[in-house]
Amino acid sequence: MPELKAEKLQPTILHRFQQVIAHHELAHAYLLVGPDGAGKQELAQWLTLMLFCRHVTDGRPDLTCPECQRVLSGNHPDVVVAKAEGRQIKVDQVRHLKAEFTKSGMEGQRKVFIIEDADKLTTGAANSLLKFIEEPGPGIYIFMLSNNKNAVLPTIQSRTQIVEMQPLSPDSLAQQLTTAGVPQELQPIVTGLTDSVTEAQSWMQDDWLKQVVANIVRWFKETATGNLESFVDIQESFVPLVSGHDREATCLDLMSLIWRDALVIASHADGRLYYQHYQSTLQAALRQLSVDQVLAASHIALTSRKLLDQNISFQNVAEQETLRILKETAHL
Ligand SMILES: [Zn+2]
């Protein structure tokens, strides 16, 4: 039997659901919470298969019966999925959903609603759903998905059973990042910044992350060895590459991470390195510095990042950061 992705991504939670289903204790409304790639969609699909499959054996759907086939192909008439269009799920979309709620299952006794991005329900849309979530009626199940529990309206949270996905095992995260096109040397760096595979994937476009990391490794070598080129580098290499608040913040985070790694190396502390594939480069650049100097520089990198949120331009923040680090390393 083929292994379902949900079994691989969230084995513990899936096992718990198997027991809940075996005891006929499945609740009618769940809020599945976890980062992209953690398996929320896959789990919702697995639960749907379990509800419709005609031959559940040993707590698993057979995946081959006509019901399973229709769920897997996304063509089951009694499975309705709502997604955000743009940034919100609006009342109009919910109106359609509500109309579906009130019809009883078209063919069988069951009906499943999957609401992706439950945090994107507008207050109006959420309010109009509350009654249905509270008393969905027999045979109706609602699975709501969200990356961020706290962004889901409290009225929704309080009416659902909340299930938080477990962090991915390093192996399955690595596997997903590889599938998303993140090269091996960048994977540990990516995991220092995000647990979202989708976000990591967006940084791969036009080789953005690759170029920024190459720049940062060079900038690090220069700042650590007191080379004033590092200051010029900000305007010449970084500014053309980094635009928009998200990327600016990511770039400063990456600068902060490399100096954090430097501190781990300089102080011989235990700790996994984000820039582990560049370890020898980092080591060589740090040779002339004392632990105190590295500590000061890593503190500067960490605190500079926060300045971006105070409406200071990226170029300003990065240049000031560079100058302050150079003051430590080159005794300017
Ligand atoms: Zn089946």
Side-chain angles (χ1 to χ4, degrees):
M1 179 189 289
E3 188 183 33
L4 273 169
K5 245 183 133 188
E7 297 178 0
K8 213 166 175 184
L9 293 171
Q10 293 295 333
T12 313
I13 291 177
L14 195 126
H15 184 64
R16 218 181 301 148
F17 269 120
Q18 281 173 323
Q19 293 172 322
V20 166
I21 292 168
H23 291 105
H24 305 286
E25 286 167 350
L26 193 66
H28 283 275
Y30 285 93
L31 175 60
L32 309 178
V33 181
D36 293 330
K40 297 186 300 279
Q41 278 91 351
E42 290 82 358
L43 190 62
Q45 188 190 55
W46 180 86
L47 286 163
T48 307
L49 288 164
M50 287 294 280
L51 286 166
F52 285 103
C53 179
R54 291 175 188 168
H55 309 114
V56 173
T57 319
D58 299 330
R60 302 174 84 196
D62 67 352
L63 306 182
T64 51
C65 74
E67 294 289 288
C68 281
Q69 291 288 313
R70 290 200 290 181
V71 172
L72 288 170
S73 64
N75 288 323
H76 201 294
D78 289 325
V79 179
V80 180
V81 181
K83 285 182 208 190
E85 281 166 11
R87 304 174 81 90
Q88 292 182 321
I89 302 181
K90 301 204 179 85
V91 177
D92 282 357
Q93 276 172 275
V94 169
R95 203 165 288 149
H96 163 71
L97 207 65
K98 273 169 74 176
E100 291 288 328
F101 266 108
T102 46
K103 288 183 216 158
S104 51
M106 275 174 64
E107 296 181 3
Q109 299 298 309
R110 288 190 165 153
K111 216 159 164 63
V112 168
F113 294 90
I114 298 173
I115 301 177
E116 297 189 3
D117 317 304
D119 45 290
K120 293 190 177 130
L121 284 163
T122 61
T123 311
N127 284 339
S128 71
L129 268 180
L130 290 182
K131 204 182 104 208
F132 293 94
I133 298 173
E134 229 161 30
E135 297 167 39
I140 294 183
Y141 295 85
I142 303 159
F143 304 121
M144 302 182 120
L145 278 41
S146 175
N147 290 6
N148 179 3
K149 183 177 78 179
N150 296 322
V152 177
L153 291 164
T155 44
I156 298 268
Q157 283 188 46
S158 65
R159 286 166 174 83
T160 53
Q161 305 261 332
I162 298 173
V163 178
E164 304 208 31
M165 300 297 109
Q166 304 206 308
L168 289 182
S169 71
D171 276 356
S172 58
L173 184 61
Q175 206 179 354
Q176 288 206 46
L177 288 172
T178 304
T179 313
V182 180
Q184 263 195 347
E185 71 271 17
L186 297 181
Q187 290 182 7
I189 298 174
V190 161
T191 61
L193 295 180
T194 184
D195 49 14
S196 160
V197 177
T198 316
E199 189 172 26
Q201 202 162 20
S202 75
W203 296 333
M204 298 315 298
Q205 280 165 20
D206 306 322
D207 270 344
W208 184 77
L209 189 66
K210 218 173 180 174
Q211 293 183 60
V212 169
V213 166
N215 278 353
I216 286 176
V217 172
R218 188 183 64 244
W219 169 86
F220 173 81
K221 273 195 285 187
E222 291 166 353
T223 51
T225 54
N227 183 342
L228 302 184
E229 279 294 313
S230 54
F231 182 80
V232 183
D233 246 3
I234 298 299
Q235 195 186 355
E236 289 188 349
S237 316
F238 284 93
V239 170
L241 196 58
V242 180
S243 64
H245 184 272
D246 285 354
R247 296 233 157 153
E248 292 170 357
T250 302
C251 181
L252 291 170
D253 282 335
L254 287 163
M255 289 168 154
S256 169
L257 275 189
I258 201 167
W259 273 103
R260 173 263 176 211
D261 277 1
L263 186 59
V264 171
I265 293 171
S267 59
H268 303 286
D270 283 332
R272 161 179 168 278
L273 298 178
Y274 298 108
Y275 287 79
Q276 52 188 253
H277 290 268
Y278 306 88
Q279 187 171 356
S280 52
T281 309
L282 267 63
Q283 259 158 347
L286 291 169
R287 213 167 282 148
Q288 305 295 325
L289 298 179
S290 69
V291 177
D292 281 348
Q293 283 174 305
V294 178
L295 179 64
S298 63
H299 182 71
I300 291 164
L302 191 65
T303 48
S304 298
R305 160 69 181 85
K306 293 180 187 129
L307 296 174
L308 191 68
D309 298 325
Q310 298 169 17
N311 270 336
I312 303 173
S313 78
F314 168 79
Q315 183 172 349
N316 248 320
V317 174
E319 284 180 351
Q320 290 309 314
E321 173 177 344
T322 306
L323 276 184
R324 287 175 65 206
I325 293 176
L326 285 172
K327 236 176 227 174
E328 295 291 335
T329 57
H331 306 288
L332 289 178

